[in-house]
């Protein structure tokens, strides 16, 4: 069992929250002090680049590279936004981080703000996370009183204010430009790109958006160094650790911190206690509801970005949902697709109408009233909505040797993500789909 490397969870205690005194006793805010007194903003950006930190919210985009896109010479205010709108089904890692150690996020946010030279940062938090909001508010007040937040932080001349914003809800707010619209009080539909947020984001100003877990890694990179951080991963191209959430048909459902690159099967067996009730593993979603199913043949795949892309899925949030051998995978896919159809913002036709069409087709097949034409129509809908061939890997970190993307049809990645389980259902469990039609009922 690989639970010895604890970075983000090193201060985690069951049922407890670490506030300022405990956080400082554990070395908290030393990385902020180092960044402000011994490093230039450009050096902080380069250190994060060298560390190989990639976005932990699902996209996997290189964090330092994103920071480097912010225009340096443009006059006027810039913004930093922390995306805490954690509504991906099966994902609860950010909540665990905030409940355990809210100052870790605040320190990472302040270091990022210094690197970007932004004086205003927002934490955009999921509406249901009221328990997290109370802890973050207390931590912000403590940090302000101790001189880590506000004007002239630690006498460095750098000032930054952090504001907590409680979201009004809906899954679409996890998309970064929809989040910006929601933060501005507008209808939370995605924006056209370009312009990208780093050039024209919140209130029309340059803006960087990072996920809670992503920012929580920053103090450890600055404190421990890029080489140390890269060395935590088990894969050659990996870097750091990852919070892995376990749910579904397992003996133990919990959050654990592991090095990037631990094999999927090892996580399920050792950290999840294996499949529940003595049953067998059938499939899983490796990174939340918007990732493609994996089967028994994938249990040796390392839980890292490129390895999962090669397996035609994604790391996503690294929150694994396991299905036992008595699960109807068509019913599971229908449940997921209903969620995505309900959460569509309705801004574009492929998502608004296409997802409803996919739900209708899956309901026909599950209900035993479908024929072969309905299966072909389902396959066409999946292809048309995502703008992919059915042999292409799902959307995600772009790799020339793995991803064969035809071109997205929907306005944002919600529809692409919704089609990931559908595509995998037709590719991996086609026999089950066919059996529904032949028997005129669900065979499970």
């Amino acid at each position: 069992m690989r639970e010895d490397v604890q970075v983000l969870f090193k201060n985690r205690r069951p049922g407890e929250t670490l506030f300022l005194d405990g956080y400082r006793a554990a070395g908290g805010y030393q990385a902020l002090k180092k960044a402000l007194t011994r490093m230039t903003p450009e050096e902080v950006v380069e250190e994060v680049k060298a560390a190989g930190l990639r976005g932990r919210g699902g996209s996997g985009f290189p964090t330092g590279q994103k920071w480097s896109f912010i225009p340096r010479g443009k006059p006027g205010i810039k913004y930093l936004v922390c995306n805490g709108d954690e509504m991906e089904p099966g994902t609860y890692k950010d909540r665990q981080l905030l409940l355990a150690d809210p100052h870790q996020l605040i320190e990472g946010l302040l270091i990022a703000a210094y690197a970007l030279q932004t004086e205003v940062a927002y934490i955009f938090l999921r509406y249901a996370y009221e328990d997290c909001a109370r802890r973050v508010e207390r931590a912000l007040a403590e940090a302000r009183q101790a001189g880590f937040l506000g004007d002239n932080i630690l006498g460095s001349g750098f000032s930054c204010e952090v504001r907590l914003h409680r979201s009004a809800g809906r899954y679409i707010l996890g998309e970064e430009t929809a989040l910006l619209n929601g933060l501005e009080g507008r209808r939370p539909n995605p924006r056209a790109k370009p312009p990208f947020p780093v050039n024209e984001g919140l209130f029309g100003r340059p803006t960087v958006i990072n996920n809670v877990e992503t920012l929580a890694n920053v103090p450890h990179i600055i404190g421990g160094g890029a080489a140390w951080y890269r060395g935590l991963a088990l894969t050659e191209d990996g870097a750091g650790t990852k919070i892995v959430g376990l749910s579904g048909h397992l003996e133990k459902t919990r959050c654990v911190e592991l090095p990037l690159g631990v094999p999927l099967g090892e996580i399920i067996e050792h950290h999840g206690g294996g499949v529940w009730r003595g049953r067998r593993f059938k499939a899983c979603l490796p990174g939340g509801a918007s990732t493609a199913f994996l089967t028994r043949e994938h249990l040796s795949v390392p839980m890292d970005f490129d390895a999962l892309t090669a397996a035609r899925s994604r790391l996503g949030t690294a929150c694994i949902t396991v299905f036992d051998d008595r699960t109807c995978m068509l019913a599971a896919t229908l449940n997921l697709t209903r969620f995505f159809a309900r959460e569509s913002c309705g801004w574009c036709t492929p998502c608004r109408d296409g997802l409803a069409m996919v739900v209708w087709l899956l309901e026909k097949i599950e209900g035993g009233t479908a024929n072969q034409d309905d299966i072909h129509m389902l396959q066409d809908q999946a292809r048309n909505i995502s703008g992919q061939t059915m042999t292409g890997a799902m959307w995600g970190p772009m790799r020339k040797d793995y991803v064969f993307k035809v071109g997205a049809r929907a306005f944002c990645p919600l529809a692409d993500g919704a089609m990931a389980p559908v595509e995998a259902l037709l590719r991996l469990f086609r026999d089950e789909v066919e059996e529904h039609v032949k028997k005129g009922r669900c065979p499970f």
Side-chain angles (χ1 to χ4, degrees):
M1 293 176 64
R2 295 184 177 98
E3 285 187 304
D4 53 325
V5 180
Q6 298 295 283
V7 178
L8 300 176
F9 275 169
K10 71 175 184 177
N11 296 325
R12 189 188 190 201
R13 302 292 182 272
E16 297 180 11
T17 300
L18 193 74
F19 288 108
L20 184 61
D21 289 344
Y23 186 67
R24 294 186 70 176
Y29 289 110
Q30 289 302 308
L32 175 63
K33 183 178 180 180
K34 176 182 177 181
L36 293 180
T37 60
R38 294 163 50 190
M39 302 175 75
T40 66
E42 292 76 17
E43 286 173 338
V44 174
V45 173
E46 290 304 314
E47 190 74 5
V48 173
K49 272 188 182 180
L53 175 64
R54 294 174 64 167
R56 300 306 203 234
S59 69
F61 194 85
T63 303
Q65 187 177 349
K66 180 187 281 191
W67 290 4
S68 69
F69 293 154
I70 202 86
R72 293 283 172 182
K74 190 172 183 177
I77 195 168
K78 299 186 286 286
Y79 293 103
L80 172 64
V81 178
C82 171
N83 185 349
D85 195 72
E86 186 176 53
M87 286 190 67
E88 178 85 355
T91 298
Y92 55 101
K93 61 184 181 61
D94 290 346
R95 180 172 184 266
Q96 298 302 310
L97 279 169
L98 293 176
L99 289 177
D101 200 356
H103 278 282
Q104 182 176 225
L105 169 64
I106 295 169
E107 184 176 13
L109 197 67
L110 290 169
I111 295 170
Y114 172 68
L116 299 166
Q117 290 294 283
T118 63
E119 295 184 357
V120 180
Y122 286 91
I123 300 173
F124 189 94
L125 197 60
R126 179 181 173 180
Y127 75 97
Y129 284 3
E130 187 59 36
D131 49 356
C132 295
R134 289 193 297 269
R135 288 162 172 80
V136 170
E137 283 179 333
R138 173 177 166 178
L140 287 171
E142 290 179 336
R144 188 175 291 107
Q145 187 173 10
F148 297 120
L149 183 60
D151 296 330
N152 192 24
I153 299 172
L154 298 177
S156 65
F158 173 70
S159 301
C160 183
E161 186 56 54
V162 178
R163 299 166 184 166
L164 176 65
H165 179 93
R166 290 171 169 83
S167 165
R170 299 311 295 259
Y171 177 74
I172 190 62
L173 285 156
E175 197 280 330
E176 62 178 13
T177 59
L179 181 153
L180 295 178
N181 277 341
L183 195 52
E184 292 178 4
R186 303 173 184 269
R187 173 181 172 178
N189 56 267
R191 300 177 182 179
K193 299 176 186 178
F196 293 93
V198 289
N199 295 309
E200 189 175 320
L202 187 64
F203 306 119
R205 302 300 305 168
T207 305
V208 166
I209 302 110
N210 287 132
N211 164 264
V212 169
E213 186 185 351
T214 308
L215 289 167
N217 276 277
V218 173
H220 306 290
I221 291 171
I222 299 304
W228 165 80
Y229 186 78
R230 276 192 173 275
L232 295 174
L234 302 181
T235 52
E236 184 178 351
D237 296 328
T241 63
K242 184 74 186 72
I243 304 297
V244 177
L246 293 162
S247 63
H249 299 157
L250 289 169
E251 291 291 345
K252 293 184 283 188
T253 54
R254 58 186 183 136
C255 255
V256 294
E257 181 178 7
L258 298 169
L260 271 174
V262 177
L264 175 63
E266 180 179 325
I267 296 174
I268 291 169
E269 287 299 320
H270 292 299
H271 301 285
V275 180
W276 69 350
R277 300 174 183 175
R279 299 178 188 173
R280 289 169 56 84
F281 174 89
K282 183 174 185 178
C284 73
L285 297 163
S290 61
T291 57
F293 296 117
L294 297 179
T295 61
R296 291 185 63 83
E297 67 181 85
H298 301 111
L299 289 175
S300 62
V301 173
M303 283 288 285
D304 202 348
F305 293 97
D306 295 338
L308 284 169
T309 302
R312 298 170 71 172
S313 189
R314 292 187 303 118
L315 180 66
T317 62
C319 288
I320 302 166
T321 303
V322 171
F323 303 96
D324 67 24
D325 55 358
R326 299 188 188 182
T327 302
C328 172
M329 297 310 297
L330 195 148
T333 305
L334 171 58
N335 184 48
L336 295 169
T337 312
R338 280 173 174 158
F339 169 83
F340 290 117
R342 183 175 68 247
E343 292 297 324
S344 170
C345 74
W347 193 248
C348 66
T349 304
C351 194
R352 180 187 62 245
D353 297 335
L355 295 187
M357 182 72 165
V358 170
V359 168
W360 177 71
L361 289 166
L362 289 170
E363 286 176 342
K364 281 188 72 177
I365 300 170
E366 176 67 7
T369 61
N371 56 37
Q372 284 294 326
D373 288 340
D374 292 310
I375 298 177
H376 295 312
M377 189 181 298
L378 178 64
Q379 185 162 339
D380 287 342
Q381 283 297 313
R383 181 186 298 116
N384 292 335
I385 290 169
S386 62
Q388 297 164 317
T389 63
M390 295 303 289
T391 57
M394 296 312 296
W395 71 276
M398 303 304 289
R399 290 271 299 202
K400 292 180 181 178
D401 48 343
Y402 299 145
V403 178
F404 306 96
K405 191 163 180 60
V406 176
R409 306 283 173 83
F411 205 72
C412 83
L414 189 152
D416 273 355
M419 288 302 98
V422 177
E423 181 272 339
L425 172 74
L426 293 169
R427 174 166 50 86
L428 300 172
F429 301 101
R430 183 69 174 242
D431 56 337
E432 285 190 19
V433 179
E434 299 278 358
E435 195 174 1
H436 278 76
V437 173
K438 290 175 183 177
K439 291 187 174 181
R441 60 175 176 83
C442 176
F444 290 87

